Amino acid sequence: MIPISHYLILSAVMFTIGCAGVLTRRNAIIIFMCIELMLNSVNLTFVAFSAYLGDSAGQIIVFFVMAVAAAEAAVGLAIVLALFRNKKSVDINDVNILKW
Amino acid sequence: MHHYVGLIVLFPLIGLIVNGLFGRHIRSERVVGWIGSLAVGIPFLVAAAILYGMLGSPVEERSNTVTLFTWIAAGSFQVNAAYQVDQLSILMTLIVTGVGFLIHVYSIGYMHGDRGFWRFFTYLNLFIFAMLNLVLADNYVLMFLGWEGVGLCSYLLIGFWYEKKFAGTSITWTGDAANKAFWVNRIGDFAFMLGMFLIFREFGSLTFSTVMDSASSLAPGNSTMFWITLLLFIGATGKSAQIPLFVWLPDAMAGPTPVSALIHAATMVTAGVYMVARNSLLYALAPDTMMIVAVIGALTAIVAASIGLAQNDIKKVLAYSTVSQLGYMFLALGVGAFTAGIFHVMTHAFFKACLFLGSGSVIHAMHEEQDIRKMGGLAPVMPKTYYTFLISSFAIAGFPPLSGFFSKDEILWSAFSQGSVLLWAVGALAALMTAFYMFRMVTLTFLGTPRWAKDKHPHESPPTMTIPLIVLAFLAVTGGFLGIPAALGGGNALHHWLHPVFERALDRLPTAHEYSHMTEYLFMLVSVVIGVSGFWFGRKIYLANPDADDTFAAKAGGVFRTLSRKYYIDEGYMRGIVNPLVATSDRFLSRVVDTALIDGFVNGLAKVTASFSGVLRLVQTGVVQSYASMIVVGLLLVLGLILLG
Amino acid sequence: MTFETILFYVLALAGIVSALLVITRRNPMHAALFLIVNFVALAGIYLTLHAQFVAITQVLVYAGAIMVLVLFVIMLLNLQNEQDLFEKRSWRSYSGPILSLLLLALLLRTVAFVSGGSFDRISPESERIGTVANIGQQLFTAFVFPFEMASLLLLAAMVGAVILAKKRFP
């Protein structure tokens, strides 16, 4: 049988990849996708613990995470649309008015 | 009955709220006026009912405390909104509400047609509310609340006609006079607060009964007691217009005349006397302060009376007369005759309120003319005003058997028997001056030939004004019968009534010398002679020659000018205290301390912060990714601390 | 080596490789497609954990709804390659990977704590709890309040998205 640590290592690796993407990429949509990646890695941890501990709460939380992700997708992409309309770009380096 | 004491305070509060919030929209002056008046009249009836209940109960049960709610609770320190109903406070309550009610009714007529009619009654009710808290309080804090409250009302009412001009030393309009009253009172209030703090440090409580109980075990001559009582007395000199803080009262005459009658003659200015009487035990433990009180009282009596000799404004004469009479009260307190002091508070409230209201009636009739040199011959025109004024003048001059005779004579006799001949002599001289300036004023105002302009048409005032005058004149005649001394075969009812309040204080005072009744009769005779001669001279000189002042000015110019300029005290204060203070504030405190030091420090701090943040804000790039990097750094630090730390 | 074990390692490899491709592709369209691969791989991994409901929702919601939305936006904006990714390097393109590697080290250190006991094999209960019936029952009994809240959240997100994406702000 596969011990839980393998699932967790997979989750950690995917989380880190998502994190690296968020920190380095400049296209707002790709950053958005990297965030989805991180969310999914966390979902994997939840499901793994749920299965190994025999507790259904973990899978319920994954359900709610998905609901939040859906909401985030709708609002986030709407923001990207509005941004593109104003700046003619989705490069987040062009969006630096959030200062001073 | 004493449980209903809350009602006494409640009604003025209701009147204040109703008139204050809705008075502007009530069209009818009568409704506003009678709401205000009844808010004071009903408490009078309640107080009378409580008095009746107290008369029917044994002496030990006459003093009660009614706690309404806990006001301040901080650790062991607790202050209640509690009212002490005893012989002294109920007497003061009756004076405040009784005289207050009459003056409210009078104001309905006097303030007729004034733009701020409802405002006036709101302030008056607020004043009565504060004054009742002052006299009924069972602790220093609540008393101080009332003390400040009446000060505020005094300020508001002096400056009531805020657009009016008013002449005085460095004063050009009523607001200046109001400010002057407020500031001078602040000095006294500050001392009162210091006294309060000292009491709390010494006794750990601010409730009268607790403080008095702990104080009764102390021996006289304690230095802490000296400072406590001295500070409280300085507070009293502010509120009750004694040397050196009396200068505000004459300028307080800028307010409407009913205000002068109610606040600056009958009630508020006697708060200091009441406060000293309330703390009689503490004063009895500090003989040195008692001496200071007596000397200040006597000095104030004679200084103010002498200034009153040379004043031409009808209200100014009465104002200095009030200061002088307050001096008498403190003289009485200083020599340990607490009852006599309170007795004089009562009789003075009657005749001085009557005199002020009478002067208001005259001013009303003369269309805001206040200079007595431009009056004369008003007696036939306004007989009711004249006769009530005359009766009250006789009362203040000490003609037997009017009220002023009994109270003033008791004070003078106490000054001699418990104090010294010197105090008596000063008091007697002041009494002579009092009788003289009173009849100088009566003669110049009401007698002789009219000196007013032809276009003026003086008339008798309406009944709302004359009826209070008549009632007050009646009280000025009969009020003294409460305190007929034993030498005249009277029982001195007031003395017995108040005795339980002052019992512990009197026990600690040296007993008075016993003099025979013959001596007492002699002193009474001297008092009467003084009163009659003052009356006779005042009347004769000024009836024969209304311009006698000019003769005096010509013969003794220096003295006369000194008196009419009030010993240059105001000028002295301006030059000695106010101007240096203003100059220091302007040149040093404002420009050096405030602008250079404080502003420099604050602005410097801001500049340092700004320069630091100028560097720090470079971190705020506005790029979301750099913020995300910082989040990851934080996450790493926290995780690292947990796992490796 | 059972079939399940082999399946897991294959899917895990697919997931990691597709994730790496997501963050390295310059063309957003390619990145999105690899993300779908990643999601499908994850759905398979969920199945090895007997989480049928989550696996199905993963495909339906993520790979289906959300990624369709993303692709739609990419096409709508007609996005080009991230041209200057390697031309205008900022300090973040170096610090990002370093920070991420540090994070990975710490996360793996954390994983080392989880071993032994029930963590060595999947609970026999898992076959029951992963079913649609069980999740549905849990959602409508113990978690009914958060469930309703989630619906409100989605409504709010919908309104927000409509407002934000409108041509002109009122």
Side-chain angles (χ1 to χ4, degrees):
Chain A
M1 290 298 284
I2 313 158
I4 194 174
S5 50
H6 291 200
Y7 287 96
L8 298 181
I9 291 166
L10 172 63
S11 169
V13 170
M14 274 173 55
F15 187 85
T16 314
I17 292 169
C19 180
V22 168
L23 294 186
T24 48
R25 296 306 296 259
R26 301 163 63 181
N27 187 324
I29 292 181
I30 292 182
I31 288 176
F32 171 80
M33 289 193 286
C34 292
I35 292 172
E36 297 293 332
L37 203 57
M38 291 164 81
L39 280 173
N40 265 286
S41 71
V42 174
N43 280 354
L44 177 59
T45 309
F46 273 122
V47 175
F49 274 108
S50 168
Y52 278 75
L53 296 177
D55 186 347
S56 57
Q59 300 189 16
I60 304 285
I61 288 194
V62 169
F63 175 79
F64 288 123
V65 171
M66 284 179 186
V68 173
E72 183 212 327
V75 177
L77 290 170
I79 291 174
V80 170
L81 270 180
L83 184 67
F84 187 79
R85 199 174 287 144
N86 285 319
K87 292 266 183 186
K88 299 289 169 230
S89 156
V90 288
D91 188 337
I92 55 159
N93 281 353
D94 294 343
V95 193
N96 59 357
I97 53 173
L98 190 71
K99 60 182 176 184
W100 305 334
Chain B
M1 272 314 286
H2 61 267
H3 301 291
Y4 297 107
V5 69
L7 287 179
I8 297 181
V9 186
L10 179 68
F11 278 103
L13 189 62
I14 293 175
L16 155 71
I17 291 169
V18 170
N19 273 341
L21 294 182
F22 311 113
R24 183 197 293 270
H25 306 290
I26 302 177
R27 289 283 166 76
S28 163
E29 278 186 2
R30 285 198 173 273
V31 175
V32 172
W34 280 106
I35 288 172
S37 304
L38 287 177
V40 184
I42 296 170
F44 175 74
L45 297 178
V46 177
I50 292 176
L51 176 72
Y52 183 76
M54 283 164 79
L55 283 169
S57 54
V59 177
E60 310 83 58
E61 292 170 17
R62 283 178 183 171
S63 177
N64 292 290
T65 303
V66 180
T67 306
L68 297 184
F69 56 90
T70 302
W71 180 20
I72 302 169
S76 62
F77 174 70
Q78 184 168 354
V79 176
N80 290 332
Y83 295 126
Q84 181 173 16
V85 186
D86 68 357
Q87 292 92 333
L88 178 58
S89 65
I90 200 73
L91 181 71
M92 290 299 289
T93 307
L94 283 168
I95 295 172
V96 170
T97 52
V99 176
F101 174 67
L102 292 172
I103 293 172
H104 274 69
V105 174
Y106 175 91
S107 305
I108 299 176
Y110 189 82
M111 299 302 289
H112 172 68
D114 194 283
R115 204 154 50 88
F117 193 84
W118 62 275
R119 196 161 55 89
F120 185 77
F121 276 88
T122 309
Y123 291 163
L124 278 192
N125 278 171
L126 177 62
F127 168 76
I128 296 284
F129 174 72
M131 189 72 199
L132 287 174
N133 271 304
L134 197 163
V135 297
L136 284 167
D138 97 317
N139 58 65
Y140 289 95
V141 184
L142 191 60
M143 186 189 216
F144 190 67
L145 178 83
W147 186 272
E148 291 290 330
V150 293
L152 169 70
C153 294
S154 165
Y155 166 81
L156 290 172
L157 285 163
I158 293 170
F160 183 77
W161 285 321
Y162 47 81
E163 72 280 16
K164 225 170 90 169
K165 291 261 181 282
F166 183 78
T169 312
S170 317
I171 285 174
T172 51
W173 61 294
T174 56
D176 290 337
N179 282 340
K180 184 176 178 184
F182 203 76
W183 289 333
V184 173
N185 266 300
R186 286 257 55 78
I187 302 170
D189 295 347
F190 184 62
F192 186 104
M193 270 162 69
L194 288 181
M196 222 158 70
F197 298 156
L198 213 51
I199 288 172
F200 184 69
R201 203 193 68 176
E202 197 64 17
F203 300 107
S205 169
L206 285 173
T207 311
F208 290 139
S209 51
T210 321
V211 170
M212 297 308 157
D213 286 347
S214 345
S216 54
S217 59
L218 296 172
N222 186 322
S223 79
T224 318
M225 281 298 129
F226 171 74
W227 286 108
I228 289 175
T229 49
L230 186 68
L231 286 167
L232 289 180
F233 176 64
I234 293 173
T237 59
K239 195 64 71 191
S240 292
Q242 296 297 294
I243 289 174
L245 301 178
F246 74 97
V247 289
W248 66 271
L249 186 57
D251 288 321
M253 297 304 131
T257 309
V259 173
S260 311
L262 178 63
I263 300 185
H264 305 119
T267 53
M268 183 188 87
V269 288
T270 60
V273 182
Y274 168 77
M275 193 265 289
V276 172
R278 178 53 80 196
N279 293 302
S280 52
L281 178 59
L282 303 185
Y283 279 87
L285 293 171
D288 294 342
T289 322
M290 293 281 277
M291 200 60 222
I292 294 174
V293 173
V295 170
I296 293 279
L299 266 179
T300 310
I302 189 138
V303 166
S306 59
I307 296 174
L309 292 174
Q311 298 300 313
N312 291 321
D313 184 318
I314 185 167
K315 285 178 73 181
K316 283 271 175 73
V317 178
L318 288 171
Y320 281 104
S321 162
T322 305
V323 176
S324 162
Q325 299 299 312
L326 289 165
Y328 274 111
M329 297 172 204
F330 279 101
L331 172 59
L333 298 173
V335 297
F338 301 112
T339 321
I342 295 295
F343 187 24
H344 202 55
V345 166
M346 185 182 81
T347 58
H348 176 255
F350 296 151
F351 57 66
K352 189 53 66 66
C354 184
L355 287 169
F356 261 118
L357 295 185
S359 77
S361 179
V362 170
I363 294 166
H364 205 60
M366 295 297 293
H367 306 286
E368 308 307 318
E369 179 60 61
Q370 302 197 2
D371 193 334
I372 50 176
R373 287 170 302 187
K374 296 178 185 161
M375 294 179 185
L378 284 171
V381 184
M382 35 199 322
K384 285 175 192 158
T385 307
Y386 170 59
Y387 283 112
T388 52
F389 202 91
L390 189 65
I391 289 167
S392 300
S393 303
F394 278 123
I396 194 175
F399 275 56
L402 304 178
S403 60
F405 167 73
F406 294 108
S407 56
K408 190 181 282 189
D409 190 63
E410 193 176 337
I411 288 174
L412 288 175
W413 172 246
S414 311
F416 171 71
S417 65
Q418 289 164 253
S420 68
V421 186
L422 195 62
L423 288 176
W424 173 83
V426 171
L429 187 58
L432 177 66
M433 291 177 179
T434 306
F436 181 80
Y437 67 66
M438 281 314 297
F439 287 98
R440 166 179 177 264
M441 182 168 68
V442 171
T443 312
L444 285 177
T445 310
F446 291 102
L447 304 178
T449 48
R451 295 182 298 280
W452 20 277
K454 286 283 174 286
D455 59 330
K456 291 200 174 168
H457 303 287
H459 53 87
E460 183 58 285
S461 300
T464 45
M465 289 169 70
T466 51
I467 289 170
L469 281 176
I470 293 165
V471 176
L472 283 169
F474 173 76
L475 288 170
V477 173
T478 56
F481 297 141
L482 277 175
I484 299 175
L488 289 178
N492 207 338
L494 194 75
H495 193 83
H496 287 293
W497 173 252
L498 289 175
H499 186 70
V501 180
F502 302 127
E503 201 172 11
R504 287 191 288 189
L506 294 174
D507 287 347
R508 277 163 185 78
L509 290 174
T511 43
H513 294 287
E514 284 296 325
Y515 291 98
S516 66
H517 280 336
M518 249 356 259
T519 326
E520 208 172 336
Y521 290 144
L522 190 67
F523 274 90
M524 273 182 209
L525 190 66
V526 174
S527 295
V528 173
V529 169
I530 284 170
V532 172
S533 49
F535 157 68
W536 192 76
F537 279 117
R539 187 182 150 87
K540 185 169 161 53
I541 291 172
Y542 287 94
L543 198 56
N545 178 15
D547 298 321
D549 283 345
D550 297 341
T551 323
F552 292 137
K555 280 188 183 160
V559 179
F560 188 81
R561 213 175 309 121
T562 310
L563 289 182
S564 67
R565 297 295 296 275
K566 306 162 257 179
Y567 294 101
Y568 300 101
I569 290 175
D570 274 331
E571 285 82 352
Y573 281 178
M574 280 310 288
R575 286 210 195 121
I577 298 171
V578 179
N579 289 343
L581 265 179
V582 170
T584 318
S585 306
D586 184 42
R587 303 218 182 100
F588 179 69
L589 289 177
S590 161
R591 288 187 202 162
V592 178
V593 176
D594 196 52
T595 312
L597 286 180
I598 297 179
D599 282 5
F601 178 71
V602 174
N603 291 342
L605 211 60
K607 271 178 198 145
V608 170
T609 315
S611 57
F612 268 115
S613 58
V615 176
L616 269 178
R617 73 177 171 191
L618 296 179
V619 177
Q620 296 269 315
T621 53
V623 180
V624 187
Q625 268 178 330
S626 61
Y627 301 158
S629 302
M630 289 306 135
I631 293 177
V632 174
V633 169
L635 177 68
L636 285 174
L637 287 177
V638 172
L639 262 179
L641 211 64
I642 293 171
L643 293 173
L644 312 173
Chain C
M1 282 294 241
T2 61
F3 172 69
E4 273 188 8
T5 320
I6 297 166
L7 185 66
F8 169 73
Y9 288 116
V10 171
L11 288 173
L13 192 65
I16 291 171
V17 169
S18 62
L20 281 171
L21 289 169
V22 166
I23 67 161
T24 48
R25 294 306 88 191
R26 293 167 101 187
N27 188 332
M29 182 62 96
H30 295 169
L33 291 171
F34 282 117
L35 189 61
I36 294 174
V37 173
N38 178 275
F39 286 164
V40 173
L42 266 181
I45 289 173
Y46 291 153
L47 280 177
T48 66
L49 290 165
H50 307 297
Q52 313 153 12
F53 175 74
V54 178
I56 293 299
T57 351
Q58 171 83 3
V59 174
L60 282 180
V61 175
Y62 267 120
I66 296 179
M67 289 321 294
V68 165
L69 197 59
V70 171
L71 289 171
F72 177 76
V73 171
I74 292 171
M75 293 181 193
L76 182 72
L77 302 183
N78 193 19
L79 291 177
Q80 300 304 311
N81 288 2
E82 220 174 279
Q83 291 298 343
D84 46 3
L85 178 63
F86 300 102
E87 285 140 37
K88 273 169 66 181
R89 279 174 183 268
S90 73
W91 58 274
R92 281 185 296 278
S93 34
Y94 302 106
S95 71
I98 294 169
L99 286 173
S100 304
L101 283 174
L102 283 172
L103 184 62
L104 180 64
L106 287 171
L107 286 176
L108 292 178
R109 178 75 187 81
T110 320
V111 170
F113 289 112
V114 187
S115 67
S118 63
F119 291 127
D120 280 345
R121 54 178 58 252
I122 296 178
S123 161
E125 277 284 284
S126 62
E127 296 200 19
R128 188 186 60 80
I129 56 176
T131 58
V132 178
N134 178 52
I135 301 287
Q137 204 207 356
Q138 290 283 317
L139 272 181
F140 286 100
T141 52
F143 294 92
V144 67
F145 182 70
F147 181 74
E148 294 300 333
M149 284 298 107
S151 64
L152 266 183
L153 174 75
L154 288 169
L155 177 68
M158 194 170 78
V159 174
V162 168
I163 297 278
L164 281 170
K166 263 165 80 169
K167 261 246 172 332
R168 290 235 169 261
F169 283 88

